[in-house]
Amino acid sequence: MIDTRQYPAIPGPRLPLVVQTVLYGLKTAEYLEWCHRRYGDVFSVRLPGSTFVVLADPAAIRTVFELDASDYAVAANAAFLSPFVGDQSVLLRDGDAHRAARRRLVAAFHAETTKAWSQAMTDITVRHIADWPVGTPFALLPRFQAITLDMIKHLVLGATDSDDADQLNAAFQPWLAQAGSVAVLAPPFRRRLLGLSPWARFVRQRARVDAALDRLIAARRADPCLAERTDVLSALLRADGLDDAELRDTLLTMLAAGHDTTASSSAWAFDLLLRDPDRYRRLGDDDYLDAVAKEVLRLRPVVEMVGRPLTRPITIGDYELPAGVTAAPSVLLAHRRPQSYDQPLTFRPERFLGQRPDPASWLPFGGGVRRCLGANFAMLELRTVLRTVWERTDLRPVGRPEHARRRAVTLIPKKGSTAVLVKRPRMPG
């Protein structure tokens, strides 16, 4: 039995819960960085449903990522996450159910299959940039969202029929647009209010997304060519033990987690690169392209931390974290520690040339047994979009460098990364 009295109290702001929730929701990066400067590499913040012990030190992060799956229960995050990813999402499953779901997804995202998708990703990107306006400033983020959504629809969902794709677009985009409201993000603020509140609109739009996915699943089950299809949905349908509700929530998770994250990373990349012409010119080199992708994910992570709600006490350095709190390795803070990265706020892809990142200091996809299953797919998407846009466009930045704002569970460029296309895209052939 550990005598917790020998450990000091975990430092952190004493602000009321509602104040911390609003600060975290509206000024995520600024609030976490303020706490980090004031309290150090281990501090606590109070958010709806749990006290989060935020960790920036690689040794502490490594300890959390090495925990046994029985040491925490991510289902405790359900109140916050289930409206975005579904009650039966792999992100909210523990124990045997999580292991089984993960095995199915690993098989569906087989490495040889994803490699074959590279040309399809290029073709989708080329098709979209052909319609970008010339000479008029526009936000890159919505354009990249359209590209990555198309990639997921065609390669993951296999929605090649235009009616299926249009129905999914019509439901998904308005739902995602509503996801950044505090009334949606914070469980205490989720109120129907006679069906007129942001939360009520969000719930209605979520039902439309579910209906579109249900139609897609039913059509695919009836497809006589199911055995030959190479998309992820078809691979999951061929697996055993997956009912329609779990399958729908799995697809919703891939849409919500895979579409906005890579699109935001692409927008952040051009916000940085277009202001750095010397580095932008080097994107034709494969090794440098890979280093740029890693540096963008380091400097502008789209998810600020990952949570492990503890089921037993654990020791982190000088502190005892009791059961019931959430151990939260901070992607944002770990990526900006000067002890881990020289000049951490400077965009410098060269730091990754010939270097394999430390998984406790570079963690855009989380870590441990719950590391993002779509990491390889996402990196392929990001590199493909960067290379294709670089090869076929002449873009210039507009305005000042972007600041981050929260939308749902991601941090996106506040104004969408505005640019101008100065001449028509260069098309192949």
Side-chain angles (χ1 to χ4, degrees):
M1 183 83 174
I2 298 174
D3 180 5
T4 58
R5 291 172 298 179
Q6 66 179 296
Y7 295 94
I10 300 168
R14 297 182 178 275
L15 298 169
L17 172 63
V18 67
V19 175
Q20 295 201 48
T21 300
V22 171
L23 285 172
Y24 184 79
L26 298 181
K27 295 286 185 180
T28 306
E30 295 88 342
Y31 184 51
L32 289 177
E33 289 180 324
W34 178 82
C35 290
H36 191 211
R37 289 192 300 269
R38 185 176 179 88
Y39 301 111
D41 280 339
V42 180
F43 61 87
S44 64
V45 295
R46 295 174 61 212
L47 297 173
S50 183
T51 294
F52 284 70
V53 180
V54 182
L55 308 169
D57 176 62
I61 291 170
R62 193 172 291 109
T63 296
V64 173
F65 285 163
E66 290 174 353
L67 290 175
D68 187 87
S70 63
D71 295 332
Y72 54 87
V74 298
N77 294 325
F80 176 68
L81 284 178
S82 62
F84 304 105
V85 297
D87 295 332
Q88 298 190 56
S89 167
V90 65
L91 298 181
L92 299 177
R93 295 195 151 201
D94 291 305
D96 291 341
H98 173 258
R99 283 188 287 273
R102 193 174 177 90
R103 279 196 299 271
R104 284 191 290 265
L105 284 168
V106 166
F109 275 102
H110 191 275
E112 293 307 312
T113 302
T114 56
K115 286 179 184 177
W117 289 343
S118 180
Q119 185 58 51
M121 289 179 176
T122 300
D123 294 342
I124 289 168
T125 306
V126 169
R127 188 164 62 247
H128 278 269
I129 63 179
D131 295 329
W132 289 3
V134 177
T136 302
F138 63 97
L140 288 168
L141 178 59
R143 307 288 175 161
F144 289 136
Q145 287 170 328
I147 289 171
T148 56
L149 184 57
D150 250 8
M151 289 180 183
I152 291 176
K153 285 187 305 184
H154 292 294
L155 303 177
V156 176
L157 306 185
T160 53
D161 183 271
S162 60
D163 289 339
D164 288 340
D166 289 346
Q167 289 178 12
L168 195 56
N169 266 350
F172 183 74
Q173 295 284 27
W175 173 71
L176 186 67
Q178 298 169 22
S181 167
V182 173
V184 171
L185 289 170
F189 301 152
R190 294 170 180 171
R191 297 290 184 268
R192 296 271 185 162
L193 300 179
L194 301 177
L196 302 175
S197 68
W199 172 245
R201 291 193 294 272
F202 179 82
V203 170
R204 286 196 297 272
Q205 200 63 45
R206 163 67 194 278
R208 295 186 183 103
V209 174
D210 285 350
L213 291 173
D214 285 340
R215 287 192 293 270
L216 184 63
I217 292 167
R220 188 60 46 73
R221 282 197 187 279
D223 188 341
C225 299
L226 177 63
E228 288 79 44
R229 296 184 65 108
T230 59
D231 55 88
V232 172
L233 170 56
S234 296
L236 291 172
L237 281 167
R238 293 192 294 266
D240 294 328
L242 200 65
D243 63 29
D244 282 3
E246 184 180 354
L247 184 56
R248 183 191 64 224
D249 287 354
T250 299
L251 300 182
L252 182 63
T253 300
M254 289 189 283
L255 275 169
H259 151 259
D260 211 30
T261 50
T262 306
S264 296
S265 294
S266 300
W268 281 124
F270 283 95
D271 183 62
L272 294 163
L273 285 164
L274 293 178
R275 293 175 171 82
D276 196 339
D278 291 339
R279 289 190 166 99
Y280 190 46
R281 280 192 286 269
R282 298 180 63 183
L283 281 186
D285 177 81
D286 286 343
D287 290 338
Y288 198 76
L289 175 66
D290 187 68
V292 165
K294 290 186 174 79
E295 176 71 344
V296 169
L297 293 172
R298 182 198 69 82
L299 187 57
R300 297 288 187 267
V302 296
V303 176
E304 76 281 1
M305 64 183 181
V306 294
R308 301 287 189 266
L310 299 177
T311 57
R312 69 168 182 86
I314 67 169
T315 301
I316 297 288
D318 296 331
Y319 300 102
E320 173 73 12
L321 278 59
V325 307
T326 298
S330 173
V331 182
L332 180 81
L333 300 180
H335 287 186
R336 297 186 179 187
R337 285 183 89 244
Q339 299 93 326
S340 299
Y341 295 101
D342 182 46
Q343 297 180 301
L345 299 183
T346 300
F347 178 64
R348 191 160 61 83
E350 295 78 9
R351 71 176 86 242
F352 289 113
L353 284 174
Q355 301 291 325
R356 177 171 291 186
D358 177 357
S361 297
W362 187 81
L363 48 148
F365 302 108
V369 297
R370 304 192 75 94
R371 187 176 186 271
C372 176
L373 285 162
N376 292 337
F377 183 87
M379 287 296 287
L380 179 61
E381 275 187 302
L382 180 56
R383 289 193 298 262
T384 301
V385 169
L386 294 184
R387 169 66 63 79
T388 308
V389 172
W390 175 81
E391 288 177 339
R392 291 173 171 85
T393 70
D394 188 357
L395 290 169
R396 298 289 186 273
V398 174
R400 299 173 64 83
E402 291 275 12
H403 294 285
R405 74 172 176 88
R406 174 174 291 284
R407 181 166 68 181
V409 296
T410 60
L411 300 176
I412 66 173
K414 186 175 183 179
K415 296 181 180 179
S417 187
T418 306
V420 63
L421 185 65
V422 299
K423 60 184 179 181
R424 279 287 170 198
R426 299 185 293 277
M427 291 295 120

